[in-house]
């Protein structure tokens, strides 16, 4: 069971992948049964489909029904809220969609992942403040993909706003975020994207970016960082996003053994 010390939740970024059939899901298992099967082993899942399409209350209720009472979801904010940023008018519909998860205590947090082009400047800082207001009352975590946000004053502001900081493991490339371990809210958050630097910027299919298998030695680098995050937060979420062919499943199983 991947629910360690009552505060660390380990899972994968997404669960609905056809290429997991035979790697994780048994052949013949219907897609509508995938989440229930997944929830037998894991106690959390990061839902990325909400980034592409606004969720509905019915879909969220359906996911809640397929998981145990202690299961928590991390829901990615819709791209209208983080990438297009032409208006936050979708926030109200987004909030309503999450109400079924809130009612049964299965909303772990909302993850707002911003693109590399989301640079550190006053305009974007003000946008973040507005997003926090629009999602007031919801546990919120922000993922920056531009290293210029790594500033003491940003961490201090995130703490005042009770916004969690998403730590990442990703390729060591210019302007990308280094493996910083920082917690700025009640929730600490880590995403393992893989270290496929050859395909990070140039790829034919989106999954190529996340085609990476972590070595045990690479994951061990994170053990003291995770210990630090755990000491600074009430809950620590750890998700593996190297999802191609179920590599994220292997990553989380490795981490579970290392942490145990």
């Amino acid at each position: 069971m991947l629910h360690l010390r009552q505060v660390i939740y380990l899972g994968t970024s997404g669960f609905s992948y056809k290429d997991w059939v035979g790697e994780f899901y048994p052949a013949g298992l219907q897609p509508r049964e995938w989440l229930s099967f997944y929830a037998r082993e894991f106690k959390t899942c990061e839902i990325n489909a909400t980034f592409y399409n606004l969720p509905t209350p019915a879909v969220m209720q359906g996911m809640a029904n397929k998981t145990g009472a202690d299961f928590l979801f991390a829901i990615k904010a819709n791209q209208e809220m983080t990438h297009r940023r032409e208006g936050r008018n979708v926030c109200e519909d987004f909030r309503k969609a999450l109400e079924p998860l809130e009612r049964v205590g299965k909303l772990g947090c909302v993850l707002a992942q911003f693109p590399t082009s989301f640079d550190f400047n006053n305009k974007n800082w003000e946008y973040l403040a507005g997003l926090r207001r629009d999602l007031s009352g919801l546990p919120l975590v922000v993922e920056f993909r531009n290293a210029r946000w790594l500033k003491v004053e940003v961490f201090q502001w995130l703490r005042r706003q009770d916004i969690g900081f998403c730590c990442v493991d990703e390729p060591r490339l210019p302007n990308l975020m280094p493996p910083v371990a920082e917690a700025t809210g009640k929730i600490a958050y880590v995403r393992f994207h893989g270290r496929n630097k050859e395909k990070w910027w140039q790829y034919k299919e989106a999954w190529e970016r996340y085609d990476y298998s972590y070595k045990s030695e690479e994951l061990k680098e994170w053990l003291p960082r995770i210990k630090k995050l755990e000491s600074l937060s009430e809950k620590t979420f750890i998700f593996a996003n190297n999802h191609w062919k179920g590599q994220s499943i292997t990553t989380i199983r490795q981490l579970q053994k290392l942490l145990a």
Side-chain angles (χ1 to χ4, degrees):
M1 182 175 69
L2 303 187
H3 181 185
L4 304 179
R5 304 176 221 169
Q6 304 302 309
V7 294
I8 299 183
Y9 292 79
L10 295 99
T12 61
S13 299
F15 69 92
S16 184
Y17 301 109
K18 293 180 180 179
D19 51 272
W20 282 19
V21 175
E23 304 289 343
F24 177 63
Y25 297 125
L29 187 70
Q30 295 298 311
R32 64 178 178 273
E33 299 173 338
W34 286 355
L35 181 55
S36 297
F37 183 91
Y38 173 98
R40 295 176 192 173
E41 180 172 352
F42 304 102
K43 295 302 178 184
T44 188
C45 188
E46 183 184 85
I47 303 301
N48 292 324
T50 52
F51 173 80
Y52 302 100
N53 298 289
L54 272 174
T56 65
V59 168
M60 296 292 103
Q61 183 65 63
M63 291 199 307
N65 294 343
K66 293 180 179 180
T67 54
D70 57 348
F71 196 95
L72 293 178
F73 290 96
I75 306 296
K76 185 180 281 191
N78 187 261
Q79 59 187 335
E80 296 286 345
M81 301 155 67
T82 58
H83 284 54
R84 295 174 183 168
R85 303 189 302 278
E86 296 175 354
R88 298 188 304 271
N89 56 327
V90 300
C91 287
E92 184 176 354
D93 290 337
F94 185 81
R95 291 190 64 128
K96 288 180 180 178
L98 301 187
E99 288 177 359
L101 297 182
E102 288 188 89
R103 281 197 300 269
V104 295
K106 292 189 177 184
L107 179 62
C109 66
V110 173
L111 172 68
Q113 175 207 304
F114 288 90
T116 308
S117 59
F118 190 71
D119 204 351
F120 174 76
N121 56 50
N122 288 334
K123 178 182 178 182
N124 287 340
W125 207 335
E126 290 171 2
Y127 183 86
L128 272 179
L131 184 64
R132 170 74 282 184
R133 289 192 295 271
D134 289 342
L135 298 179
S136 62
L138 296 181
L140 178 63
V141 174
V142 62
E143 178 182 354
F144 299 111
R145 292 201 168 177
N146 187 314
R148 281 168 48 83
W149 285 94
L150 285 178
K151 299 180 184 295
V152 173
E153 57 265 36
V154 172
F155 290 140
Q156 292 173 340
W157 182 84
L158 291 174
R159 289 188 180 95
R160 291 195 298 271
Q161 299 292 322
D162 193 24
I163 299 175
F165 173 78
C166 178
C167 311
V168 296
D169 187 279
E170 59 191 13
R172 310 298 198 267
L173 292 172
N175 299 322
L176 288 187
M177 300 292 285
V180 173
E182 190 63 66
T184 56
K186 297 182 181 68
I187 293 173
Y189 206 101
V190 185
R191 302 185 87 203
F192 285 87
H193 293 303
R195 301 181 182 181
N196 192 346
K197 61 181 180 180
E198 290 78 13
K199 294 289 187 178
W200 190 259
W201 295 123
Q202 297 182 358
Y203 51 83
K204 293 181 179 179
E205 301 291 340
W207 59 261
E208 294 180 66
R209 170 182 274 190
Y210 306 108
D211 182 7
Y212 188 84
S213 291
Y214 278 97
K215 300 179 179 64
S216 179
E217 293 72 21
E218 295 171 329
L219 296 176
K220 285 179 180 177
E221 298 170 8
W222 276 88
L223 296 184
R225 297 170 187 153
I226 292 171
K227 183 177 181 181
K228 174 187 175 183
L229 294 174
E230 183 185 9
S231 71
L232 295 173
S233 61
E234 296 179 4
K235 293 186 180 73
T236 300
F237 288 95
I238 302 174
F239 294 106
N241 194 29
N242 55 329
H243 54 76
W244 177 245
K245 293 289 185 180
Q247 291 172 106
S248 54
I249 296 289
T250 302
T251 297
I252 293 302
R253 286 172 173 169
Q254 284 181 283
L255 274 172
Q256 190 270 340
K257 291 180 180 179
L258 291 171
L259 289 167

